[in-house]
Amino acid sequence: MDAKKLAEVGRLIAVNPSSVAARLAELEGITRQAASARLASLKNAGVIAVAGNGRGVKYALLDTVREVRSYPISGLSEDWVWREQCAPVVKDLPENVRGIWHHGVTEMVNNAIDHSGSTDVQVGIARNALSTKVWVSDHGEGIFLRIQRALNLYDARESILELAKGKFTTDPANHSGEGIFFSSKMFDHFSIRSGALFFMHDSNQPDVLFEKTNSDHGTLVVMELENDSERTTREVFDQFALPEEFSFAKTIVPVRLAQHEGEKLVSRSQAKRLTRRFERFQTVILDFSGVEEIGQAFADEVFRVFQNAHPQITMAPIKATEAVTAMISRARIGLGR
Ligand SMILES: Nc1ncnc2c1ncn2[C@@H]1O[C@H](COP(=O)(O)OP(=O)(O)OP(=O)(O)O)[C@@H](O)[C@H]1O
Ligand SMILES: [Mg+2]
């Protein structure tokens, strides 16, 4: 069965483990018996598991590949990890999907090599009928602490805001700070766990940040993509380039990441945290989803003071509530242009 057909069955099971044969029959326009036979052959091939019988039968997806390897970092190249461990697992998937995997795996393994300070890195890959997952983990300093230290940030949570803006690197001589920004947007799920923080980017959902009570050393990055995804690396890059330009000129900043739990965005210092490094971009889209309201001083600092000091930057708020829009309009009245 090709990747697309297999992923369709996988999606039916992922959505609901029951009445899979009936839904498969409907989706494919085949008889219920033919659908059951197809499921039976997938069970025999070890692709799915079946429990119960009759109306109570339930299906589950099985990993057809699951492999974890550990590599000493000294002398390691990210391309080698890609070619040896990951490329063979995805070799039959569509070209756009392989392109995303090549990008994500090499960027995240390169990060462990160049930034973690760890002596080794573990790379795991698992594939089922619906999707493939890769995780990269090291035992180094931890990404959020490293960024906190480099920028002298008061709170490690601010590191996530800097990563979300893009073009952030602690090693500008050798890097451009684009690895996590673009990789995170290519996958259906992308998460980073480090220390007590857990950052999650899900396609079509606002980014979220959790705090955990137990804190782990090092950094764990998890990437997951459906095997029949139609996304391409190109379309993700193009989203952040301005028309007629090929460079990374535009960013979308989830403003809610500047708002820590239980806080409201009211002060000038919060505004300065938000606008830090905006001057690296020509266009900054401010995504206000999850932000109910903002205070006058915050709005004034972002939309009047910062804008007046940087008239060349286009700042565009999106997904703002009425209360937020009103505050922004009020601040913009005082703009000197
Ligand atoms: N595994 C890690 N351990 C510690 N710090 C990390 C790790 N991965 C990333 N970082 C930190 O996060 C920053 C951003 O990573 P990102 O991959 O986005 O950019 P970069 O590696 O600096 O540049 P580029 O990926 O464009 O070469 C890095 O500069 C580094 O400070
Ligand atoms: Mg990188």
Side-chain angles (χ1 to χ4, degrees):
M1 211 185 275
D2 71 12
K4 182 141 198 76
K5 286 246 179 287
L6 204 52
E8 271 170 8
V9 177
R11 232 176 334 264
L12 291 176
I13 296 173
V15 168
N16 176 2
S18 303
S19 65
V20 177
R23 285 180 292 129
L24 179 60
E26 197 186 321
L27 179 75
E28 293 279 315
I30 55 177
T31 64
R32 179 79 184 263
Q33 285 72 17
S36 296
R38 206 176 276 183
L39 291 169
S41 76
L42 290 176
K43 178 184 175 243
N44 291 336
V47 176
I48 59 176
V50 187
N53 47 41
R55 285 186 165 274
V57 66
K58 282 193 162 48
Y59 292 85
L61 296 175
L62 295 176
D63 285 343
T64 50
V65 175
R66 187 175 190 94
E67 190 197 19
V68 184
R69 290 198 205 175
S70 189
Y71 303 88
I73 279 188
S74 167
L76 184 64
S77 100
E78 61 272 15
D79 275 327
W80 198 81
V81 174
W82 165 250
R83 278 201 310 272
E84 286 297 310
Q85 186 181 356
C86 300
V89 175
V90 296
K91 68 175 189 302
D92 60 315
L93 296 183
E95 195 184 342
N96 61 310
V97 172
R98 279 186 282 124
I100 291 176
W101 277 119
H102 184 203
H103 187 88
V105 168
T106 53
E107 290 289 338
M108 295 310 117
V109 173
N110 175 268
N111 277 354
I113 296 171
D114 282 4
H115 307 299
S116 73
S118 180
T119 53
D120 51 68
V121 56
Q122 277 79 46
V123 180
I125 184 163
R127 176 172 165 181
N128 65 28
L130 176 57
S131 60
T132 301
K133 189 190 256 187
V134 170
W135 58 102
V136 178
S137 85
D138 65 62
H139 301 101
E141 174 177 17
I143 179 168
F144 303 135
L145 279 180
R146 184 181 189 81
I147 296 173
Q148 181 182 13
R149 199 166 50 84
L151 286 181
N152 200 10
L153 302 174
Y154 172 69
D155 189 319
R157 290 178 296 185
E158 291 174 38
S159 314
I160 293 172
L161 178 61
E162 292 311 309
L163 286 174
K165 290 174 192 170
K167 292 196 192 183
F168 175 76
T169 181
T170 51
D171 182 8
N174 300 300
H175 290 273
S176 55
E178 302 189 1
I180 290 173
F181 184 88
F182 287 110
S183 300
S184 66
K185 291 164 175 67
M186 290 175 187
F187 291 93
D188 297 328
H189 304 282
F190 180 96
S191 66
I192 308 179
R193 250 178 229 221
S194 183
L197 296 178
F198 183 34
F199 170 72
M200 210 165 72
H201 176 92
D202 263 357
S203 52
N204 307 322
Q205 277 180 41
D207 291 352
V208 280
L209 166 61
F210 296 104
E211 274 190 86
K212 304 178 295 142
T213 43
N214 58 330
S215 91
D216 305 318
H217 284 294
T219 302
L220 167 67
V221 179
V222 182
M223 301 171 272
E224 188 169 1
L225 183 67
E226 292 192 349
N227 295 329
D228 63 342
S229 172
E230 287 180 353
R231 205 175 295 121
T232 63
T233 54
R234 176 67 197 269
E235 83 184 46
V236 175
F237 288 123
D238 284 353
Q239 238 186 304
F240 299 94
L242 292 172
E244 314 292 321
E245 282 195 40
F246 299 101
S247 68
F248 180 17
K250 172 178 138 188
T251 188
I252 304 178
V253 180
V255 178
R256 71 203 301 245
L257 292 180
Q259 174 185 270
H260 301 157
E261 218 168 296
E263 272 182 9
K264 284 199 169 141
L265 294 172
V266 291
S267 70
R268 292 194 188 270
S269 59
Q270 288 170 317
K272 285 176 187 157
R273 240 153 49 193
L274 179 69
T275 56
R276 178 168 45 211
R277 298 188 311 103
F278 275 12
E279 64 281 359
R280 308 263 172 111
F281 300 92
Q282 289 175 44
T283 299
V284 177
I285 313 281
L286 291 158
D287 179 347
F288 278 91
S289 47
V291 177
E292 285 303 311
E293 52 184 357
I294 55 175
Q296 183 272 331
F298 177 87
D300 186 64
E301 186 69 36
V302 176
F303 292 99
R304 190 183 63 84
V305 178
F306 180 83
Q307 181 74 84
N308 266 338
H310 302 88
Q312 78 288 0
I313 305 177
T314 304
M315 288 199 292
I318 59 167
K319 300 181 188 163
T321 62
E322 265 179 43
V324 170
T325 307
M327 272 300 179
I328 296 172
S329 308
R330 201 177 139 194
R332 279 180 161 166
I333 291 172
L335 270 183
R337 59 172 180 171

